[in-house]
Amino acid sequence: MAADRNGKSGARTDLAITGMSCASCAANLERALRELDGVSEASVNLATARATVLFDPRLVDPAGLAEAVRGAGYGVAASPEEQGAKAGRELASLRRSVAGGGALALLIFLGSMRHWFPWAPAFLQDHRVLWALATPVQFLLGRRFYRGAWSALRRRSADMNTLVAVGTSAAYLYSAAATVLPGFFRRAGVEPAVYFDTSAVIIVLILFGRMLEAGAKGRTSDAIRRLMGLRPRTARVVDGEVEREVPVEAVRAGDVLVVRPGETVPVDGLVLEGRSAVDESMITGESLPAEKGPGSAVTGATLNKWGSFRFRAVRVGEDTALAKIIRLVEEAQGSKAPIQRLADAIAARFVPAVIAIAVLTFAVWAAFGPEPRLVFALLNFVAVLIIACPCALGLATPTAIMVGTGRGAERGILIKSGESLETLHRVDTVVFDKTGTLTSGRPEATDVIPAPGVAAGRLLALAASVENGSEHPLGQAVVRRARADGVAVGAADGFRALEGMGVEATVGGERVLVGSARLLESAGVDVSPLRAAAEELTGAGRTTAFVAADGGLVGLLGLADTLKPGARAAVEKLRRAGLRVMMLTGDNARTARSVAAEAGIDEVVAEVLPGDKAEAVRRLQEEGRRVAVVGDGINDAPALARADVGVALGTGTDVAMASADITLISDDLGAFVSAVALSRRTIRTIRQNLFWAFVYNVVGIPVAAGVLYPFLGVLLNPMIASAAMAMSSVSVVANSLRLRRARI
């Protein structure tokens, strides 16, 4: 079961749609799906040609959804691959239509404009010849518009196909009547002129625009294709002493695989033997190869540089990091940003309004226009229908979202949705976790201070035995220090993490506590003998952990975590971008302030429990702040979920990443700075697209209707209207494509 952002639950499915050509197509299909019993939500993305449907499987199934799509006049592809193949065939068909139709339209144009081209062949002056040339353009090349218009009519709606079909048919039929019945027109006082060039050129130009648009939209999905291209095809599986090359789909979790120099790591796993350096730039964006040895994690699709190693497969198939990245990017590209709601609302009502304006235009010109009134009325009627394309409006947002999220994926920034991308640009406050986020997350146990009468070895042995069951970086630092000092790490039973205070377990029959002074004092342990030492360590920026066994104080550990390279630079860039930067941590105040000062952060909230972190975020939001929280651990999950935008480091826990809106695959905080810049550039691009799409229609429709004619004598030729309409969509997509080269 799945749930949308409004809390609606049910099964979720994605349908690959074919046959959509404009924003009103998407709006009509959404309406058709939502009318089905059992469908609680439906969202159709024109740019990706995908429909996301939330439904009750007890009332409707995917087959029923597909049937509704076909009933609305569109097709359903069985897979994205089939959809891509159909899109490729459609693009090839458009190219053939434009080539053939262009040749015919040129001949018709030469014949119709013979006063401009006196050298044109004489036979082109015959209206019957022009009629013969225009007919295949109108009904063969233009049949896609008639099919679309008929499908819309059956649903009692209208779309862009309706506008083109009605407009070109009006020009064609008027010209055919003037060719067959010239005497009728002359008796009515009207010279029997023909406008076959208008209908033919309009059809060819619109097809040309769709061809350019299809090619450009294809390029918006380049990021997905590049990610898919990283997928290795084969793997070397070790079976005893024998190596077998098998398809990567045949690899199972637990298999032992070997990777040689220059080969691609086939799946995710852990190195068993051998050492190498692996280029992970295609996943993390990090340019320097990562050193790998026994125990190191390796990621599928990364490139082994020089050494050979064996590793055990841990995640295969759709569970690999690359597969998850592809899935996240696809979901993000198929999502809608809130800014698109306005465009969708307008597109849904746009075509009927345009038809009404066109009819009114015809009526006014037929009644009050200059002679020949019918001709003027017809031409302006056609111009209004043709120029009023809602395609640019429908493409303005999704194309920018597609390119923006794809660009982010290439830089190791995984954005879950268009909403997350849009919200990030409005953020004015950034709250960082400390350990593992601002700091390297790999602290060292720098100080071992036993209580009076206690051996240092006993202190380390007890603390390390308890912390061996913890995944927390501080706990692992204690374990590493014990092993480095040659202290045996024993087994612990009943391990339990105590929120914001520490951990406890039983070691050799003793109940051992490791954590804050508050934890030990709550258990009745006197920490006063080492309190001064703890304060001294804290003043030096150390994290302290008291250790007690069976109610008695055992000692004190001092741990230091170093600031990540680039953390201070990232904070400075965020400040220059106008953002307020804070640190929120469960660590003690003195340590927190020391790290914050090193990072260039002035505002610190320390010694907070995980639930209190979320409460701190809520208080900021009540002040009117839009908050982004950057964290990596389980304890950050409530704050990430509470924030306007939650940002998790890919090196952190799965819980944190599941709670976040954005995941940074690497632990480089510079990627977050890039995410903010990308969000701002994307939203700026969307606003540019929407501005020009609105301006185009707000200015174009009145001009096409002839409002300037009484003042300036200006009329818009329908052929020019069709060219402008075609280029409006292409310009919007081209503007979105600029994001691929944006510096972030």
Side-chain angles (χ1 to χ4, degrees):
M1 300 292 280
D4 69 2
R5 288 185 172 271
N6 299 317
K8 298 176 181 177
S9 61
R12 184 186 298 273
T13 189
D14 285 333
L15 301 174
I17 308 299
T18 60
M20 290 194 301
S21 58
C22 68
S24 28
C25 296
N28 290 335
L29 182 54
E30 281 186 356
R31 186 165 58 250
L33 288 168
R34 288 170 179 167
E35 288 173 355
L36 289 177
D37 289 338
V39 173
S40 56
E41 188 57 62
S43 176
V44 179
N45 189 308
L46 175 63
T48 60
R50 297 180 71 84
T52 301
V53 186
L54 197 67
F55 63 98
D56 186 343
R58 295 170 299 181
L59 300 176
V60 66
D61 58 12
L65 298 174
E67 184 60 32
V69 172
R70 286 188 283 268
Y74 308 103
V76 179
S79 65
E81 290 75 17
E82 182 186 337
Q83 184 187 33
K86 286 187 176 181
R89 290 194 296 272
E90 174 66 11
L91 181 57
S93 174
L94 284 169
R95 286 170 176 162
R96 291 192 299 270
S97 296
V98 169
L104 292 174
L106 178 60
L107 292 174
I108 297 169
F109 186 78
L110 290 175
S112 301
M113 302 295 173
R114 54 188 178 273
H115 53 285
W116 290 358
F117 309 102
W119 46 265
F123 71 89
L124 292 177
Q125 298 179 16
D126 190 331
H127 290 179
R128 292 168 298 180
V129 172
L130 299 181
W131 187 16
L133 294 172
T135 299
V137 177
Q138 185 71 38
F139 297 109
L140 292 180
L141 302 186
R143 65 184 182 280
R144 66 188 72 210
F145 303 117
Y146 288 107
R147 284 200 301 261
W150 174 245
S151 295
L153 182 62
R154 286 194 301 156
R155 318 187 285 275
R156 297 184 299 279
S157 64
D159 58 19
M160 184 57 204
N161 294 300
T162 307
L163 301 182
V164 177
V166 172
T168 61
S169 295
Y172 175 86
L173 293 174
Y174 178 92
S175 302
T179 302
V180 177
L181 303 169
F184 173 81
F185 283 80
R186 291 191 179 101
R187 286 193 296 274
V190 178
E191 182 63 26
V194 297
Y195 299 93
F196 291 119
D197 57 327
T198 298
S199 61
V201 172
I202 285 173
I203 287 173
V204 171
L205 284 175
I206 292 174
L207 292 177
F208 180 67
R210 287 191 178 182
M211 182 188 76
L212 295 179
E213 181 187 309
K217 281 199 302 184
R219 291 194 294 276
T220 63
S221 305
D222 280 352
I224 285 288
R225 283 195 291 271
R226 282 195 290 270
L227 286 170
M228 288 181 171
L230 295 175
R231 287 173 166 168
R233 301 187 183 278
T234 61
R236 298 181 187 275
V237 177
V238 179
D239 187 2
E241 298 299 319
V242 179
E243 294 180 10
R244 294 183 294 109
E245 188 168 325
V246 301
V248 73
E249 295 82 8
V251 177
R252 298 290 180 263
D255 287 350
V256 176
L257 299 94
V258 63
V259 182
R260 296 172 181 170
E263 293 182 345
T264 300
V265 179
V267 297
D268 301 355
L270 292 173
V271 177
L272 298 174
E273 58 183 77
R275 293 190 175 276
S276 185
V278 177
D279 180 358
E280 297 179 331
S281 60
M282 63 285 293
I283 298 293
T284 66
E286 175 58 54
S287 58
L288 294 176
E291 299 291 330
K292 302 293 182 183
S296 299
V298 290
T299 304
T302 55
L303 180 64
N304 184 33
K305 298 294 288 185
W306 49 263
S308 179
F309 61 87
R310 293 188 177 191
F311 75 100
R312 187 177 305 280
V314 176
R315 290 184 295 272
V316 301
E318 294 302 307
D319 294 327
T320 64
L322 179 63
K324 290 179 179 178
I325 291 170
I326 292 172
R327 192 157 57 247
L328 279 172
V329 176
E330 286 178 333
E331 290 174 357
Q333 292 190 338
S335 66
K336 290 186 178 182
I339 197 172
Q340 191 174 342
R341 293 169 187 158
L342 175 62
D344 286 348
I346 293 173
R349 298 167 176 81
F350 190 82
V351 173
V354 168
I355 292 174
I357 293 171
V359 171
L360 179 63
T361 298
F362 182 89
V364 171
W365 278 90
F368 306 106
E371 295 294 342
R373 293 178 181 177
L374 184 61
V375 172
F376 275 102
L378 174 69
L379 292 178
N380 289 324
F381 171 78
V382 174
V384 170
L385 291 176
I386 297 305
I387 202 169
C389 173
C391 300
L393 200 59
L395 293 169
T397 297
T399 53
I401 294 292
M402 287 178 68
V403 179
T405 53
R407 179 83 168 111
E410 292 173 351
R411 295 291 302 273
I413 305 165
L414 300 183
I415 303 165
K416 285 188 176 179
S417 67
E419 182 173 353
S420 303
L421 187 65
E422 180 178 342
T423 304
L424 181 58
H425 100 281
R426 296 198 300 267
V427 162
D428 56 25
T429 303
V430 180
V431 177
F432 285 105
D433 172 51
K434 180 179 77 70
T435 304
T437 302
L438 284 170
T439 63
S440 63
R442 188 178 170 88
E444 300 298 330
T446 54
D447 303 271
V448 179
I449 306 173
V454 179
R458 170 172 166 78
L459 168 60
L460 271 177
L462 289 173
S465 297
V466 174
E467 295 287 7
N468 198 35
S470 171
E471 295 182 356
H472 196 284
L474 295 177
Q476 291 302 303
V478 175
V479 175
R480 287 196 302 274
R481 173 63 185 267
R483 288 173 174 164
D485 290 1
V487 174
V489 179
D493 299 316
F495 175 86
R496 187 161 69 99
L498 305 169
E499 276 194 2
M501 293 191 292
V503 294
E504 69 173 349
T506 300
V507 180
E510 295 182 280
R511 180 173 176 258
V512 180
L513 300 175
V514 183
S516 65
R518 184 165 45 133
L519 171 62
L520 269 67
E521 289 171 343
S522 67
V525 179
D526 181 15
V527 300
S528 58
L530 296 177
R531 191 178 293 279
E535 290 175 355
E536 184 178 345
L537 291 175
T538 302
R542 302 283 197 271
T543 298
T544 58
F546 288 91
V547 182
D550 281 347
L553 183 65
V554 175
L556 174 69
L557 300 173
L559 303 105
D561 192 4
T562 57
L563 199 67
K564 283 181 179 177
R568 186 177 181 90
V571 170
E572 180 59 29
K573 288 178 180 177
L574 291 172
R575 282 186 158 176
R576 287 203 302 267
L579 297 173
R580 176 185 178 186
V581 183
M582 302 174 59
M583 187 172 78
L584 189 62
T585 179
D587 212 339
N588 68 78
R590 295 178 70 176
T591 301
R593 283 195 293 270
S594 175
V595 173
E598 189 179 354
I601 298 175
D602 300 324
E603 294 184 72
V604 180
V605 181
E607 300 180 7
V608 290
L609 298 173
D612 296 332
K613 287 187 176 182
E615 179 63 21
V617 173
R618 186 188 65 79
R619 287 195 297 270
L620 288 169
Q621 291 169 328
E622 287 180 346
E623 294 173 9
R625 295 281 180 174
R626 295 190 179 273
V627 184
V629 173
V630 186
D632 73 316
I634 293 175
N635 63 333
D636 299 319
L640 292 171
R642 176 72 204 190
D644 295 284
V645 179
V647 183
L649 304 186
T651 53
T653 66
D654 289 342
V655 175
M657 287 187 280
S659 304
D661 302 294
I662 297 172
T663 298
L664 309 178
I665 296 177
S666 72
D667 64 352
D668 180 10
L669 294 181
F672 177 66
V673 179
S674 296
V676 173
L678 177 64
S679 172
R680 292 180 174 183
R681 288 291 299 268
T682 303
I683 298 305
R684 187 159 65 246
T685 299
I686 289 173
R687 286 172 174 168
Q688 291 168 352
N689 289 347
L690 288 173
F691 173 79
W692 288 113
F694 278 122
V695 166
Y696 168 81
N697 284 292
V698 168
V699 173
I701 292 176
V703 172
V707 296
L708 297 181
Y709 184 79
F711 311 101
L712 303 174
V714 175
L715 289 175
L716 188 64
N717 188 294
M719 290 184 288
I720 297 175
S722 65
M725 183 273 286
M727 295 313 298
S728 67
S729 297
V730 175
S731 63
V732 162
V733 178
N735 190 46
S736 295
L737 287 171
R738 293 193 305 126
L739 286 169
R740 297 196 302 176
R741 300 184 299 274
R743 295 183 63 184
I744 57 173

